[in-house]
Amino acid sequence: MLTVRYFASLREALGCEEENITLEQKDNVTVSDLVGLLSARGAPWDVLQDTGQVLVAVNQSICQRTQPLHGDEEVAFFPPMTGG
């Protein structure tokens, strides 16, 4: 089961902080596939497709959307951070 977490402005926009998702297909599933599954919920979930506004981390490491998922990871979505 994936633990999916949403941070900062995404948490507010989606009205969700965390959820658990079971992948039906466990072979060749990527973060991009997960984004597609979540985005299919419609607005406001389709914001997750915006690679310029949403970063992804798997098991607390920022990753590309081509990152494979096996079904037991923690996946986090968050907006880009700025600092100074």
Side-chain angles (χ1 to χ4, degrees):
M1 184 175 320
L2 293 174
T3 300
V4 183
R5 296 190 172 149
Y6 309 96
F7 291 94
S9 58
L10 286 175
R11 179 180 54 229
E12 278 91 47
L14 301 174
C16 183
E17 182 174 330
E18 179 179 316
E19 63 182 311
N20 294 312
I21 296 176
T22 301
L23 296 175
E24 291 184 25
Q25 173 191 350
K26 294 190 180 187
D27 294 329
N28 301 316
V29 176
T30 65
V31 169
S32 184
D33 296 322
L34 175 61
V35 169
L37 176 73
L38 296 170
S39 296
R41 296 174 176 174
W45 294 90
D46 51 0
V47 71
L48 297 176
Q49 293 183 19
D50 188 343
T51 58
Q53 297 297 317
V54 179
L55 297 175
V56 182
V58 173
N59 295 332
Q60 301 181 1
S61 294
I62 294 176
C63 68
Q64 299 295 317
R65 292 175 182 235
T66 55
Q67 171 80 29
L69 296 173
H70 301 93
D72 59 353
E73 294 90 352
E74 175 191 84
V75 180
F77 294 98
F78 53 97
M81 306 290 179
T82 59

